[in-house]
Amino acid sequence: MGLWTEQVTPRLVAAGESETVRALRVRVCEGLRGEVVELGFGSGPNLDLYPPEVTRVIAVEPSDVAWDLGAGRRTRSPVPIVRGDLDGQALSLEDASADAVLSTLTLCTIPDLPQALAEVRRVLRPGGQLHFLEHGLAPDEGVRHWQRRLEPVQKRIFDGCHLTRPIDRLVEESGLALESLERKYASTARIMRPFVFVYLGRARKV
């Protein structure tokens, strides 16, 4: 990894976010229980949002900088946090070993997303759920035009972050059954639309 990707990007991501995104994080964490695998744990922005039914979190996080930035949060967390694999595309967990998987603003950066979603499906127990909050391809062609134009720059600045992934379709193609889905812009500012079209949903392993 280059210096920018290794040192700067994790700090930019951890710097903060809007109240709207924070509220969406609250919603995506609702209903989590048992053993949860969190993809792209980062510095732990979801740590104080886990319901009391969560018994342990296995954090998948490749960045040592992001992990170190979250040390204080992990210390204060009543939920045991274990750092697991570094790559969501190759999880070392056993088949059907997780009650839920949580992914927030992470599926945009994984290089081989179908492979990562196949791993999610493999490690989930039957009936287990993927809870996801992701940004991706917008429905409006004018916004899509700018997403396609801006994506190369976005990928360079934010460690491979894509703007044009159709998250709902990719989740369904993984074999998980979508149970709920909400799609909307997380900001009313038109200039932000290419970056803030979000998918909030749950998908179950059947």
Side-chain angles (χ1 to χ4, degrees):
M1 295 190 297
L3 180 64
W4 180 273
T5 298
E6 185 174 352
Q7 295 293 331
V8 180
T9 299
R11 289 179 168 84
L12 290 176
V13 172
E17 57 195 9
S18 68
E19 291 183 7
T20 299
V21 173
R22 180 68 173 175
L24 291 170
R25 286 189 185 275
V26 171
R27 292 179 57 195
V28 76
C29 289
E30 291 174 352
L32 290 172
R33 63 176 181 82
E35 185 126 321
V36 176
V37 177
E38 181 168 352
L39 300 180
F41 181 86
S43 62
N46 299 316
L47 262 179
D48 59 346
L49 305 179
Y50 301 139
E53 292 79 11
V54 174
T55 56
R56 187 170 78 135
V57 172
I58 300 172
V60 178
E61 177 51 54
S63 170
D64 290 336
V65 172
W67 184 254
D68 290 344
L69 288 171
R73 283 175 171 161
R74 294 195 307 277
T75 299
R76 295 188 297 270
S77 173
V79 180
I81 311 295
V82 177
R83 190 177 186 183
D85 298 286
L86 305 182
D87 185 356
Q89 300 164 134
L91 300 176
S92 62
L93 299 169
E94 295 182 1
D95 295 357
S97 60
D99 296 299
V101 175
L102 172 64
S103 179
T104 56
L105 307 177
T106 295
L107 301 184
C108 56
T109 60
I110 297 175
D112 189 343
L113 183 51
Q115 174 60 30
L117 289 171
E119 283 289 88
V120 167
R121 185 172 183 273
R122 179 183 67 78
V123 304
L124 278 173
R125 295 189 174 101
Q129 291 181 319
L130 167 65
H131 292 224
F132 60 92
L133 168 63
E134 303 290 342
H135 72 95
L137 189 66
D140 306 295
E141 184 52 43
V143 178
R144 290 187 183 197
H145 168 76
W146 281 105
Q147 285 181 317
R148 290 189 289 267
R149 292 193 65 179
L150 293 168
E151 187 169 73
V153 177
Q154 177 82 358
K155 288 166 69 176
R156 286 197 296 271
I157 295 175
F158 289 102
D159 193 19
C161 175
H162 294 72
L163 296 174
T164 60
R165 285 182 167 171
I167 299 298
D168 51 352
R169 178 170 62 80
L170 291 167
V171 169
E172 286 189 297
E173 288 176 354
S174 75
L176 296 170
L178 273 176
E179 292 197 320
S180 66
L181 178 67
E182 183 177 332
R183 308 191 318 159
K184 65 178 183 180
Y185 292 103
S187 171
T188 57
R190 296 187 66 85
I191 195 171
M192 293 300 296
R193 284 192 162 196
F195 307 98
V196 297
F197 187 76
V198 297
Y199 298 71
L200 173 67
R202 297 185 190 182
R204 184 179 298 273
K205 180 178 178 178
V206 295

